[in-house]
């Protein structure tokens, strides 16, 4: 039998600020709590009882406070190992968490943020989001640019967001041959023209640089069916439009999609398709290529082209270009069935599918400096679903590519405001055991500052100090202050369904 | 058991029908004479139909309403440009979890798939001396349980070549085997002319070029408007929309009716069909009882259901009443109340697991 999580919690006297078991959205059978989850939940209850009594608070009020949140992280460490940075004082002193984790401590550049052109995608009510107990609006407004500004900039500490592309291509001309503009160019759920327009609007509003944007154009988007090859004149026209007219800051490629109906995807190391694009892009002065790798189920027949095996040659052949590998090439997300298949993750080596291949590229080519690992929808999901894999993800990225080559991304607002991911990374740490066994380094505050934003600032040419000076007085900061003063809050509220018999 | 029941149970197995008739010829004669004496010619006709057509023949002959013109409604895209449809990869960006994770195992996807070098078909091709040289050239496999074909891309857009040799997978205790291995060669015509319409998507009937391997979302959902994210009813066959049975059978029938011909192209697959079109404005089908009765059970099952909807406007049942396409589930199938069309495959008054053996004339268009 299924019951509401809150009802089960009430029956069991549980009131955790962090979901301690997978919560269902009614569309799948909730998985029973594991032994560790039960232990975690019991510990939260016991610790909260003790501490709230000492403080003269109700347990419910206590668990809703920053001290309650710290208690949940502390209990998690007691069960899974010390991968959350939390001190006992934070569980009894309300100001301790604020002192230790002050807002604005880091300059955060989120290189993977999205909204849509008014389309509801269903992501915000995805199993994984609900598993974390978040109740997010999932209608078209929730995916709008307005909500993007609220969730990215008002509800989180994100300093600068890169509006990141999704698969889709623009149509350049009408059937009558007329050059199309704006919405007439179509271009999918988040077209290049729209990313550019919103970037310019927001930066103009703010009075400083708060957003960057990407362009969706890719080598197989315009196809000459007679030659069965890229329609280079059309492709170059679109490239020029995106760089010169739209002012994009990076390309966003999905090698495993085919919006131009070319009949295939493309590889980064394809000398006939990708290399001419690189050369043209260099001529246009744009040298940043953000590439989706991993999450292979997003393609009907071309999922294999999301494998990072083509990064090596492309990066070596073009040392003057920057390749940002999104999702760190993690092949399957935590909610995909393949994630739990034997062999996907090897606890002996810490390797998991396709991420390991990305790591080997760097191991083979230690001199290669132009490949970066982005951690959107990889760090956050693993932190909740598989803390050990999460430590391997960050540990290996840093060990192989260097802490200067790991980039912060969240894939939000697909998953609501990114603040929960930011909070998690602030507290995240790699355990002594894994450091000893696999040669990982403990993360320092300096490391986190690089990952959170300094690395991306270097790639995108952002003057962090200038931005820091400008931010407090920009219009966005003033609006945020007003919003918070009026009681504005994130709507990350736990709810959902769990098994009644656990 | 009465004579009639015995006769029915024997007739139910087509292969045994001649034997049944021979064994019971005396009974039939006696019964026919009795009926003729008691009720006259109509009863005599009924029993003859029962012998010739089987259990449900009387229902078809007697009860069907008057036929309508199946081409009378809707439109088509014959001779029109292929729509600039959203490709499946764009669809799966959003539908990654509910569809993307299961689609690689769906038969509609697997109908044409990347060739796995470790598959038994490829291993057999590699081990056979006459076909060995072709094994490394194979890029795709076509087909399922009955027959597999080997394919590769050509330099031209949207074209595949098919190898003359084929593979019959192991079945019923028989080992898998290669066929037509004499003088193996690549054929650059057959796929486009005969196979592309149902094993690829967005086929241009003029050039025979396709725009996507296997079945893209476009095949069943048509040229979907992105606004469907706000209003699911805008996408054909979406759960929020109840498409009329005639639309459903047109969509499924574009490939599963394997005995039709496009009037405009002359090909065995529809000409530029787009989900939502009326398939039968251009796709000619022999609806006659005579044709149906020659088909093997599964083919007959499909065509009979489509005919019920398209010609006789029996709208209580269409393909989706029983078949859950994305889930490949039999749950809906099992939940459905029993009705006459079930007897295309199942035996009346028998356990449901017991189905009719394959029989009748196979359509030789392809191997499924």
């Amino acid at each position: 039998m299924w019951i509401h999580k809150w009802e089960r919690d009430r029956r069991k006297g549980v009131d955790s600020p962090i979901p301690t078991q997978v919560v269902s959205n009614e569309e799948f059978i909730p998985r029973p709590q594991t032994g560790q989850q039960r232990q975690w939940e019991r510990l939260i209850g016991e610790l909260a009882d003790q501490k709230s009594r000492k403080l003269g608070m109700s347990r419910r009020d206590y668990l809703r406070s920053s001290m309650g949140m710290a208690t949940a992280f502390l209990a998690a460490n007691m069960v899974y190992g010390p991968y959350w940075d939390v001190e006992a004082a934070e569980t009894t002193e309300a100001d301790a968490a604020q002192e230790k984790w002050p807002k604005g401590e880091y300059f955060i550049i989120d290189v993977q943020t999205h909204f849509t052109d008014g389309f509801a995608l269903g992501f915000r009510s995805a199993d994984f989001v609900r598993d974390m107990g978040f109740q997010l609006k999932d209608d078209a407004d929730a995916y709008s640019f307005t909500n993007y500004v609220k969730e990215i900039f008002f509800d989180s500490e994100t300093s600068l967001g890169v509006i990141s592309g999704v698969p889709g291509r623009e149509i350049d001309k009408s059937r009558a041959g007329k050059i199309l503009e704006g919405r007439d160019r179509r271009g999918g759920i988040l077209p290049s023209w729209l990313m550019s327009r919103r970037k310019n609007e927001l930066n103009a509003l703010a009075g400083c640089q708060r957003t960057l944007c990407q362009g969706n154009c890719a080598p197989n988007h315009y196809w000459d069916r007679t030659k069965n090859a890229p329609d280079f004149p059309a492709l170059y026209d679109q490239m020029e439009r995106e760089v010169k007219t739209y002012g994009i800051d990076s390309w966003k490629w999905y090698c495993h999609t085919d919006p131009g109906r070319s009949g295939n995807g493309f590889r980064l190391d394809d000398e006939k398709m990708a290399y001419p694009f690189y050369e043209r892009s260099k001529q246009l002065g744009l040298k940043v290529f953000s590439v989706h790798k991993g999450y292979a189920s997003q393609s009907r027949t071309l999922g294999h082209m999301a494998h990072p095996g083509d990064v090596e040659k492309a990066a070596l052949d073009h040392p003057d270009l920057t390749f940002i590998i999104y999702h760190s090439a993690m092949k399957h997300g935590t909610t995909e069935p393949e994630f739990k298949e034997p062999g996907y993750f090897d606890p002996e080596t810490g390797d998991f599918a396709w991420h390991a291949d990305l790591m080997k590229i760097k191991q083979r080519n230690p001199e290669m400096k132009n490949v970066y690992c982005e951690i959107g929808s990889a760090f956050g999901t693993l932190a909740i679903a598989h803390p050990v894999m999460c430590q391997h993800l960050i540990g290996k990225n840093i060990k192989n590519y260097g802490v200067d080559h790991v980039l912060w991304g969240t894939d939000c607002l697909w998953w609501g405001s990114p603040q929960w991911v930011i909070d998690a990374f602030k507290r995240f740490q790699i355990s002594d055991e894994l450091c000893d066994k696999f040669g990982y380094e403990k993360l320092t505050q300096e490391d986190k500052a690089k990952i959170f934003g300094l690395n991306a600032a270097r790639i995108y040419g952002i003057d962090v100090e200038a931005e820091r000076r400008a931010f407090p007085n920009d219009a966005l900061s003033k609006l945020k202050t007003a919003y918070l003063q009026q009681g504005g809050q994130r709507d990350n509220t736990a709810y959902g369904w769990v098994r009644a018999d656990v | 058991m009465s004579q009639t029941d015995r006769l029915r149970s024997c007739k139910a197995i087509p292969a045994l029908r001649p034997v049944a008739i021979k064994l019971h010829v005396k009974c039939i004669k006696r019964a026919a004479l009795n009926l003729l004496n008691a009720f006259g010619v109509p009863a005599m006709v009924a029993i003859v139909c029962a012998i010739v057509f089987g259990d449900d023949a009387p229902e078809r002959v007697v009860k069907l309403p008057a036929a309508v013109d199946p081409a009378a409604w809707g439109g088509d895209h014959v001779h029109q440009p292929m729509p600039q449809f959203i490709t499946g990869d764009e669809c799966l960006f959003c539908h990654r979890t509910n569809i993307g994770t299961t689609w690689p195992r769906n038969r509609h996807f697997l109908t044409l798939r990347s060739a796995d070098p470790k598959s038994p078909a490829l291993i057999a091709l590699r081990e056979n001396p006459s076909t060995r040289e072709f094994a490394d050239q194979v890029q795709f496999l076509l087909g399922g349980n009955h027959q597999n074909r080997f394919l590769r891309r050509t330099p031209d857009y949207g074209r595949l070549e098919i190898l003359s040799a084929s593979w019959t997978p192991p079945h019923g205790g028989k080992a898998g085997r290669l066929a037509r291995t004499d003088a193996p060669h690549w054929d650059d015509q057959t796929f486009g002319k005969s196979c592309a319409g149902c094993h690829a998507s967005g086929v241009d009937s003029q050039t025979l070029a396709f725009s996507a391997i296997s079945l893209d979302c476009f095949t069943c959902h048509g040229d979907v408007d992105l606004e469907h994210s706000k209003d699911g009813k805008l996408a054909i066959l979406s759960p929020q929309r109840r498409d009329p049975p005639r639309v459903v059978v047109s969509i499924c029938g574009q490939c599963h009716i394997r005995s039709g011909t496009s009037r405009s192209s002359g090909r065995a697959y529809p000409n530029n069909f787009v989900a939502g079109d009326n398939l039968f404005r251009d796709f000619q089908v022999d609806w006659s009882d005579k044709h149906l009765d020659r088909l093997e059970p599964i083919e007959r099952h499909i065509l009979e259901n489509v005919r019920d909807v398209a010609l006789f406007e029996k709208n209580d049942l269409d393909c989706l009443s029983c078949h859950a396409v994305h889930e490949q589930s039999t749950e809906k199938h099992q939940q459905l109340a029993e009705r006459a069309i079930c007897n295309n495959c199942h035996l009346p008054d028998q356990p449901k697991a017991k189905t009719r053996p394959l029989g009748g004339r196979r359509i030789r268009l392809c191997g499924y």
Side-chain angles (χ1 to χ4, degrees):
Chain A
M1 187 178 84
W2 298 16
I3 58 171
H4 277 111
K5 182 177 184 297
W6 62 262
E7 189 179 347
R8 189 213 61 149
D9 289 352
R10 190 188 64 192
R11 286 186 197 174
K12 294 184 68 176
V14 174
D15 194 0
S16 167
I18 298 177
T20 52
Q21 109 171 73
V22 174
V23 183
S24 172
N25 62 359
E26 299 181 89
E27 292 170 358
F28 71 100
I29 298 170
R31 292 180 285 275
Q33 248 181 337
T34 65
Q36 284 185 316
Q37 285 171 331
R38 271 195 294 273
Q39 190 186 357
W40 182 15
E41 186 175 275
R42 183 177 54 76
L43 273 170
I44 292 172
E46 289 176 2
L47 291 171
D49 267 342
Q50 296 166 14
K51 294 173 189 294
S52 61
R53 207 174 295 129
K54 277 185 184 173
L55 293 169
M57 298 172 71
S58 74
R59 191 174 73 162
R60 175 162 293 242
D61 286 344
Y62 173 80
L63 281 168
R64 283 178 175 173
S65 70
S66 62
M67 296 178 289
M69 179 67 82
T71 299
F73 283 121
L74 191 71
N77 282 353
M78 293 165 76
V79 175
Y80 295 108
Y83 69 97
W84 299 116
D85 183 358
V86 58
E87 293 173 7
E90 293 178 61
T91 65
T92 52
E93 297 171 28
D95 293 338
Q98 181 58 28
E99 284 174 16
K100 186 169 182 183
W101 312 108
K103 302 283 188 206
E105 178 185 17
Y106 296 105
F107 187 87
I108 298 174
I109 301 179
D110 189 334
V111 301
Q112 192 176 183
T113 63
H114 307 280
F115 58 93
T116 73
D117 189 14
F119 304 114
L121 307 187
F123 292 163
R124 293 162 62 93
S125 57
D127 295 347
F128 133 75
V129 176
R130 296 196 182 204
D131 281 355
M132 292 188 298
F134 295 165
Q135 183 178 24
L136 303 177
K137 288 180 183 172
D138 201 24
D139 56 11
D141 285 345
Y143 292 87
S144 67
F145 179 66
T146 307
N147 196 43
Y148 171 88
V149 174
K150 172 188 177 294
E151 295 198 342
I152 302 293
F153 295 104
F154 292 0
D155 290 341
S156 92
E157 294 175 66
T158 303
S159 314
L160 194 152
V162 178
I163 305 171
S164 185
V166 300
R169 67 158 197 151
E170 294 186 1
I171 297 170
D172 191 48
K173 293 176 184 168
S174 67
R175 289 194 191 280
K178 181 190 170 193
I179 299 288
L180 301 170
E181 295 294 341
R183 195 169 302 283
D184 290 341
R185 296 182 71 81
R186 297 168 60 172
I189 56 175
L190 183 52
S192 301
W193 64 264
L194 184 65
M195 289 190 276
S196 162
R197 184 177 291 179
R198 296 295 181 241
K199 163 192 155 181
N200 293 333
E201 286 173 1
L202 191 64
N203 289 339
L205 170 76
C208 65
Q209 186 90 50
R210 285 296 198 141
T211 54
L212 302 171
C213 75
Q214 299 177 335
N216 291 326
C217 186
N220 65 342
H221 281 199
Y222 301 90
W223 201 252
D224 184 332
R225 296 185 177 189
T226 307
K227 295 177 182 172
N228 198 23
D231 180 349
F232 283 111
L235 183 65
Y236 291 159
D237 280 353
Q238 181 67 19
M239 288 176 68
E240 187 166 330
R241 168 181 275 267
E242 297 202 12
V243 175
K244 291 187 175 177
T245 307
Y246 298 166
I248 65 167
D249 302 285
S250 163
W251 302 106
K252 180 65 181 290
W253 281 3
Y254 292 82
C255 301
H256 58 295
T257 67
D258 184 24
R261 288 175 290 282
S262 72
N264 212 340
F266 66 95
R267 289 176 59 91
L268 297 179
D269 58 2
D270 188 321
E271 296 186 10
K272 291 181 179 172
M273 287 179 66
Y275 282 31
F277 195 111
Y278 297 143
E279 295 310 315
R280 182 65 179 154
S281 188
K282 288 177 195 175
Q283 292 168 10
L284 292 167
L286 186 57
K287 297 183 178 180
V288 183
F289 288 76
S290 301
V291 188
H292 172 112
K293 288 291 179 184
Y295 277 91
S297 296
Q298 289 177 27
S299 177
R300 190 179 61 88
T301 59
L302 303 170
H304 57 286
M305 301 193 106
H307 187 275
D310 53 353
V311 173
E312 185 170 9
K313 181 178 186 305
L316 291 172
D317 287 351
H318 300 89
D320 51 340
L321 298 181
T322 294
F323 294 90
I324 304 173
I325 308 305
Y326 275 47
H327 312 296
S328 294
M330 186 169 85
K331 184 179 181 183
H332 293 295
T334 56
T335 54
E336 295 176 14
E338 293 88 347
F339 182 83
K340 295 181 178 63
E341 284 181 358
Y344 181 70
F345 167 63
D346 181 351
E348 291 302 313
T349 62
D351 289 339
F352 51 98
W354 291 11
H355 176 260
D357 298 319
L358 183 64
M359 298 300 106
K360 286 172 189 164
I361 289 171
K362 179 64 174 175
Q363 290 163 10
R364 284 193 295 268
N365 304 282
E367 77 287 0
M368 190 173 68
K369 303 290 184 191
N370 57 336
V371 176
Y372 291 77
C373 304
E374 189 268 357
I375 57 175
S377 285
F379 168 75
T381 55
L382 289 175
I384 297 295
H386 204 308
V388 173
M389 274 180 78
C390 187
Q391 292 173 70
H392 284 299
L393 170 86
I394 300 297
K396 287 182 188 297
N397 280 356
I398 293 174
K399 181 181 177 183
N400 290 292
Y401 281 87
V403 74
D404 293 335
H405 282 66
V406 181
L407 298 185
W408 179 251
T410 62
D411 233 350
C412 289
L413 51 62
W414 293 166
W415 322 128
S417 167
Q419 188 59 39
W420 68 270
V421 204
I422 293 170
D423 283 338
F425 192 63
K426 281 181 174 180
R427 293 181 179 276
F428 176 79
Q429 191 51 272
I430 303 173
S431 69
D432 293 339
E433 180 191 349
L434 292 186
C435 286
D436 291 344
K437 187 173 178 183
F438 294 97
Y440 304 147
E441 297 286 338
K442 288 279 187 186
L443 267 74
T444 64
Q445 193 174 14
E446 188 182 348
D447 293 338
K448 289 183 179 177
K450 289 178 178 175
I451 293 170
F452 261 139
L454 301 184
N455 294 339
R458 197 173 63 248
I459 290 171
Y460 283 110
I462 303 291
D463 183 341
V464 173
E465 289 311 311
E467 293 285 300
R468 275 189 183 278
R469 284 194 297 275
F471 278 2
N473 297 316
D474 81 352
L476 210 60
S477 297
K478 289 173 183 170
L479 287 169
K480 181 175 181 176
T481 302
Y483 163 79
L484 294 174
Q485 284 174 348
Q486 289 170 18
Q489 284 185 340
R490 286 188 287 148
D491 48 359
N492 293 2
T493 307
Y495 90 119
W497 300 78
V498 293
R499 284 173 186 258
D501 53 348
V502 292
Chain B
M1 182 184 279
S2 68
Q3 289 287 357
T4 307
D5 289 337
R6 192 177 297 132
L7 190 62
R8 279 175 174 273
S9 66
C10 293
K11 282 197 296 89
I13 304 172
L16 297 179
R17 191 175 298 165
V19 180
I21 292 170
K22 198 171 181 179
L23 285 174
H24 295 283
V25 65
K26 288 182 180 176
C27 303
I28 292 166
K29 277 182 180 175
R30 194 181 302 127
L33 284 171
N34 289 341
L35 283 168
L36 192 60
N37 290 333
F39 303 106
V41 175
M44 186 66 187
V45 170
I47 197 162
V48 169
C49 286
I51 294 166
V52 174
F53 296 114
D55 300 332
D56 45 357
E59 185 189 0
R60 292 210 311 277
V61 171
V62 177
K63 294 180 181 173
L64 285 178
V68 298
D69 176 5
W73 63 272
D76 61 61
H77 283 74
V78 173
H79 301 316
Q80 292 183 36
M82 182 63 61
Q84 298 275 310
F85 61 88
I86 299 169
T87 63
D89 300 324
E90 292 172 86
C91 302
L92 289 184
F93 184 80
C94 301
H95 296 283
R96 60 182 77 171
T97 306
N98 57 345
I99 307 296
T101 54
T102 57
W103 192 247
R105 292 182 290 280
N106 191 291
R107 287 183 183 180
H108 289 85
F109 165 75
L110 293 171
T111 188
L112 181 61
R113 58 204 178 274
S114 293
D116 178 357
K118 296 173 185 169
S119 69
L122 261 291
I123 291 172
L125 200 68
R126 199 174 293 115
E127 290 178 347
N128 186 301
S130 67
T131 59
R132 181 174 298 144
E133 65 180 286
F134 295 92
D136 291 338
Q137 300 167 23
V138 173
Q139 293 174 298
F140 300 100
L141 280 181
L142 181 155
N145 296 333
H146 298 296
Q147 189 183 178
N148 286 181
R149 301 300 298 267
F150 306 94
L151 301 105
R152 69 174 182 180
R153 289 186 189 275
T154 76
D156 299 325
Y157 174 78
R159 305 294 290 265
L160 293 177
E161 291 179 321
I162 193 164
L163 189 64
S164 55
S166 66
W167 165 254
T168 304
H171 185 69
K174 291 183 180 175
R177 63 181 178 83
L178 283 175
R180 297 190 290 272
T181 53
D182 293 341
H185 61 277
W186 289 108
D187 166 5
D188 65 357
Q189 296 296 311
T190 299
F191 183 80
K193 287 180 176 174
S194 301
C195 318
C198 295
H199 294 278
S201 304
V203 179
D204 182 325
S205 292
Q206 299 289 319
T207 64
L208 304 183
F210 58 84
S211 63
I213 291 288
S214 188
L215 302 190
D216 203 292
C217 310
F218 166 76
T219 304
C220 299
H221 297 286
D223 188 15
V224 177
D225 188 332
L226 278 177
E227 295 291 329
H228 78 278
S229 70
K230 284 179 278 192
D231 181 2
K233 291 177 184 170
L234 292 174
I236 288 175
L237 299 188
S238 81
Q240 292 83 20
R241 171 177 166 137
R242 297 185 70 84
D243 286 289
R246 64 189 186 185
V247 171
V248 174
V249 300
S250 272
I251 292 168
C252 301
Q254 65 175 308
C255 288
H256 290 284
I257 298 174
R258 300 190 311 130
S259 53
T261 309
S262 164
R263 187 183 289 115
S264 57
S265 71
R267 306 217 176 281
Y269 57 80
N271 184 353
N272 206 7
F273 176 83
V274 178
D277 288 350
N278 180 347
L279 176 68
F280 305 109
R281 284 170 59 91
D282 181 62
F283 202 58
Q284 295 175 297
V285 180
D286 181 353
W287 303 108
S288 69
D289 287 343
K290 189 177 173 184
H291 176 62
L292 256 71
D293 287 326
R294 285 176 180 165
L295 300 175
E296 63 179 3
I298 186 63
E299 302 284 358
R300 175 176 153 177
H301 167 75
I302 293 164
L303 194 54
E304 186 175 352
N305 181 227
V306 173
R307 188 180 72 165
D308 282 350
V309 173
L311 260 68
F312 303 122
E313 296 184 310
K314 290 175 71 175
N315 290 328
D316 60 332
L317 193 75
D318 61 39
C319 314
L320 299 182
S321 304
C322 302
H323 302 282
V325 177
H326 286 149
E327 292 80 12
Q328 297 200 108
S329 166
T330 58
E331 193 175 330
K332 287 172 78 177
H333 183 192
Q334 290 165 347
Q335 288 173 350
L336 203 75
E338 190 174 335
R339 56 187 75 197
I341 200 162
C342 304
N343 295 337
N344 287 146
C345 300
H346 297 283
L347 296 166
D349 307 321
Q350 297 283 323
K352 283 289 172 283
K354 201 168 184 179
T355 55
R356 295 180 192 277
L358 290 175
R361 191 182 68 175
R362 295 203 64 174
I363 294 171
R364 295 296 174 191
L365 178 66
C366 54
Y368 105 94

